[in-house]
Amino acid sequence: MALSRSHRVTMNDGNTIPVLGFGTYAPRSVPKNETVIATKVAIQVGFRHIDGAFLYENEKEVGQAIQVKIADGTVTRKDIFCTGKLWSTCHRPELVRPALEETLKNLQLDYLDLYIIHFPVSLTPFKENFPLDENQKLIGDSVDLRDTWEAMEKCKDAGLVKSIGVSNFNRRQLEMILNKTGLKYKPVCNQVECHPYLNQSKLLEFCKSKDIILIAHSALGTQREAPWVDETSPVLLKEPVLGAIAKKHNRSPAQVALRYQIQRGVVVLAGSCSEKEIKENFQVFEFQLTPEDIKVIDGLNRNLRYLILDQFQELPNYPYNDEY
């Protein structure tokens, strides 16, 4: 993956994406205004790739931060690469464009740079993001994701989004889209959980073979937020191997984990509400890991998934039942 001076790479539709992105997910316990502050800091220190989602319930705050940094002359709209995500309650084709338009309204933008299907499991349309039955089980919806994809293609044709992709898809689900009759646009990306404990080497190899960029979320581990994360799981950034490599390069374990992804040809997301951490996370272009470092970090893989998402397991298209 050849980097340009602006740290961007070209996707399969000809558009470019910054290899390092600022993730805007924050636990519900974090005040919404923190998202505004953190996103403004991220843009100020150099982040140009801003990754958001309707599910995060903070699109308005992200949009507010972007507008402030455009208004004060730090960036123009063209400088910012903004990602949104289609949530599972809007997989029916007729709901895709309205969902995108709501995201654009929240962000105060005329178009998105990237819009992706957030999760391959469909949920019944509902005013809440997680529709539950009387037994507190998620209510699924029978939608053919190839039809959802066609609606995404129409959004691209309408100029509402420049590039379209997917998230949390496994190999079989990617092939379903790629082999779709009448496919107009391939997914430019697949955004998945990816870090040294879950390095996704097989999925990465498959994506590269299809000219699909793999984007790593949860690249530094995750916020340890129940019920999504097993709170007893190991803390990635306390991993001694990462600590030793970080010490060798006079860097932080987080910087090593991010640089690892970039050198593997992965676009990587890093989120934080700490100004110090946000600045630190952007300083990954000033050093390089050795081939030996990469090999040692590869050896940390244990196929450990932080995001367990057990609530979705009984529904069709749950992606983690496949090997990759």
Side-chain angles (χ1 to χ4, degrees):
M1 184 167 77
L3 283 179
S4 70
R5 281 188 167 186
S6 59
H7 311 306
R8 286 175 170 251
V9 290
T10 303
M11 299 182 288
N12 64 40
D13 64 355
N15 294 322
T16 62
I17 182 172
V19 296
L20 178 64
F22 181 69
T24 60
Y25 173 78
R28 289 192 172 191
S29 57
V30 175
K32 296 291 185 192
N33 192 49
E34 292 286 325
T35 297
V36 182
I37 296 167
T39 306
K40 286 195 294 185
V41 169
I43 294 171
Q44 191 64 44
V45 304
F47 281 92
R48 295 295 177 262
H49 175 177
I50 308 297
D51 180 86
F54 181 80
L55 180 66
Y56 302 165
E57 298 181 355
N58 60 7
E59 287 181 327
K60 289 180 180 177
E61 288 75 20
V62 172
Q64 184 184 331
I66 291 172
Q67 294 305 322
V68 166
K69 299 317 287 179
I70 290 174
D72 72 10
T74 303
V75 290
T76 66
R77 171 64 187 95
K78 286 183 179 178
D79 295 327
I80 295 292
F81 185 99
C82 190
T83 299
K85 302 186 187 82
L86 175 76
W87 182 235
S88 295
T89 52
C90 297
H91 282 180
R92 294 183 186 181
E94 67 273 14
L95 300 178
V96 173
R97 179 164 175 161
L100 172 53
E101 288 173 340
E102 184 173 357
T103 284
L104 290 171
K105 184 180 177 184
N106 288 339
L107 292 168
Q108 303 176 59
L109 298 176
D110 296 326
Y111 68 90
L112 284 181
D113 296 275
L114 176 62
Y115 196 47
I116 56 185
I117 299 174
H118 198 155
F119 200 63
V121 179
S122 302
L123 299 175
T124 193
F126 199 62
K127 64 180 184 295
E128 304 292 337
N129 289 328
F130 298 100
L132 301 173
D133 64 18
E134 62 276 9
N135 299 314
Q136 298 302 293
K137 299 273 190 182
L138 284 172
I139 307 171
D141 196 24
S142 56
V143 181
D144 188 329
L145 289 172
R146 290 169 292 193
D147 295 335
T148 308
W149 187 253
E150 279 188 21
M152 298 278 285
E153 291 178 325
K154 288 175 183 174
C155 290
K156 177 176 165 71
D157 283 338
L160 298 175
V161 58
K162 290 192 170 185
S163 300
I164 51 176
V166 298
S167 180
N168 301 301
F169 275 47
N170 60 32
R171 178 192 54 78
R172 178 178 52 82
Q173 291 162 339
L174 281 171
E175 286 180 330
M176 178 183 69
I177 301 294
L178 293 171
N179 296 332
K180 186 183 91 64
T181 303
L183 180 71
K184 191 167 186 180
Y185 305 115
K186 286 170 58 171
V188 296
C189 69
N190 186 22
Q191 185 183 127
V192 297
E193 179 177 344
C194 185
H195 44 75
Y197 287 160
L198 179 71
N199 68 25
Q200 300 278 16
S201 57
K202 288 183 178 178
L203 187 59
L204 175 59
E205 189 179 333
F206 174 79
C207 286
K208 284 181 175 179
S209 76
K210 301 297 182 183
D211 198 16
I212 294 171
I213 286 175
L214 192 140
I215 302 177
H217 69 68
S218 310
L220 302 178
T222 64
Q223 313 265 8
R224 308 180 79 72
E225 186 184 14
W228 310 112
V229 179
D230 178 358
E231 294 170 273
T232 66
S233 53
V235 179
L236 178 69
L237 296 184
K238 291 183 179 177
E239 166 57 51
V241 170
L242 288 182
I245 293 173
K247 189 175 181 182
K248 182 176 82 169
H249 291 278
N250 197 25
R251 296 286 164 175
S252 70
Q255 288 172 323
V256 169
L258 296 173
R259 183 71 206 188
Y260 166 70
Q261 299 291 9
I262 292 169
Q263 287 186 220
R264 300 171 75 217
V266 172
V267 169
V268 64
L269 305 176
S272 176
C273 287
S274 157
E275 183 171 347
K276 175 180 177 292
E277 289 176 357
I278 293 168
K279 287 179 177 177
E280 189 181 87
N281 289 343
F282 193 73
Q283 294 167 349
V284 294
F285 301 107
E286 301 160 11
F287 76 106
Q288 198 155 5
L289 298 172
T290 66
E292 293 76 22
D293 292 334
I294 298 288
K295 190 175 179 182
V296 169
I297 298 171
D298 279 341
L300 293 174
N301 184 61
R302 54 177 87 173
N303 294 321
L304 184 148
R305 203 176 280 282
Y306 283 108
L307 292 167
I308 44 181
L309 304 178
D310 287 345
Q311 303 88 333
F312 291 87
Q313 223 162 351
E314 296 173 11
L315 297 175
N317 281 335
Y318 181 72
Y320 308 142
N321 292 330
D322 290 37
E323 184 195 355
Y324 70 97

